[in-house]
Amino acid sequence: MTPSVDVRIASMVRTLGDIIIPAIDPDNSLAREQAALLHGHLRMLVEQLPHVATYEQLCLDDMRVVAGELSAAAAGGATTQNAAKQLAAARADTEEQSDKRSAYNRIGFALEELITAAGVDGDGDFRTVLGKAVIQHGLRQTRRERSWFAMTGLDIFKADLPSIPDMVAGA
């Protein structure tokens, strides 16, 4: 039987860490740096791989909720109303799309158009609702992304973040 993707990546992590990196000339700092970077990315993939589909679905579901709320609440002139219709259409068109990342991006681009349109002729109250909804979505998405990439060690508040399994479970 062919080894699974996660077993193959784990094997690469071990080979890099146990054999290849120690064998690189200590004076070759670029090679050591790049090998360590590759090793780190592969280690993150081992952690992330079992959760990719759930993570992408979680991000898309949140974007879809925001798009539904904002397209329904849109108030203003023709430019805003047209952008709201385009957002609702993007949301509907991606309902059954298998590529979750592309669906997320398509809705995101349509949301961006609504933001721009609301700046042209959006009702003042709607602009307030829009701004709050976008900021709240951004905060949720940023927290998910911080958890997703916490293994890089670059987040100084890593201890405040849920693990990937906890994050995709809704923590």
Side-chain angles (χ1 to χ4, degrees):
M1 176 156 76
T2 303
S4 64
V5 171
D6 54 333
V7 167
R8 291 166 40 211
I9 294 173
S11 176
M12 288 184 256
V13 168
R14 279 190 309 279
T15 301
L16 264 171
D18 296 347
I19 299 168
I20 296 172
I21 293 175
I24 297 173
D25 181 350
D27 293 330
N28 191 340
S29 61
L30 180 60
R32 291 186 72 77
E33 172 189 295
Q34 292 302 303
L37 184 62
L38 178 60
H39 189 244
H41 276 288
L42 288 170
R43 284 183 27 245
M44 279 196 314
L45 285 173
V46 167
E47 176 80 20
Q48 293 169 338
L49 190 61
H51 307 286
V52 170
T54 307
Y55 174 74
E56 289 181 350
Q57 188 66 56
L58 179 65
C59 295
L60 176 58
D61 289 347
D62 191 15
M63 178 66 86
R64 291 181 53 70
V65 168
V66 172
E69 290 172 353
L70 291 175
S71 59
T79 304
T80 298
Q81 292 302 316
N82 185 52
K85 288 177 187 170
Q86 294 300 317
L87 178 59
R91 184 180 184 273
D93 290 347
T94 58
E95 183 73 36
E96 299 299 322
Q97 188 170 340
S98 62
D99 182 349
K100 305 304 179 198
R101 187 174 313 132
S102 292
Y104 177 89
N105 288 335
R106 178 157 181 223
I107 296 169
F109 289 133
L111 177 56
E112 191 175 319
E113 291 298 319
L114 178 60
I115 293 166
T116 301
V120 173
D121 64 1
D123 175 78
D125 289 339
F126 173 64
R127 288 195 310 265
T128 300
V129 168
L130 175 66
K132 287 179 181 178
V134 168
I135 288 170
Q136 289 305 309
H137 174 265
L139 291 171
R140 290 187 305 272
Q141 185 62 30
T142 298
R143 183 170 170 81
R144 285 189 290 265
E145 291 172 2
R146 288 176 57 217
S147 291
W148 194 247
F149 290 104
M151 283 186 66
T152 64
L154 299 175
D155 195 314
I156 61 172
F157 300 110
K158 178 182 174 181
D160 298 339
L161 298 172
S163 66
I164 290 175
D166 288 345
M167 179 265 297
V168 297

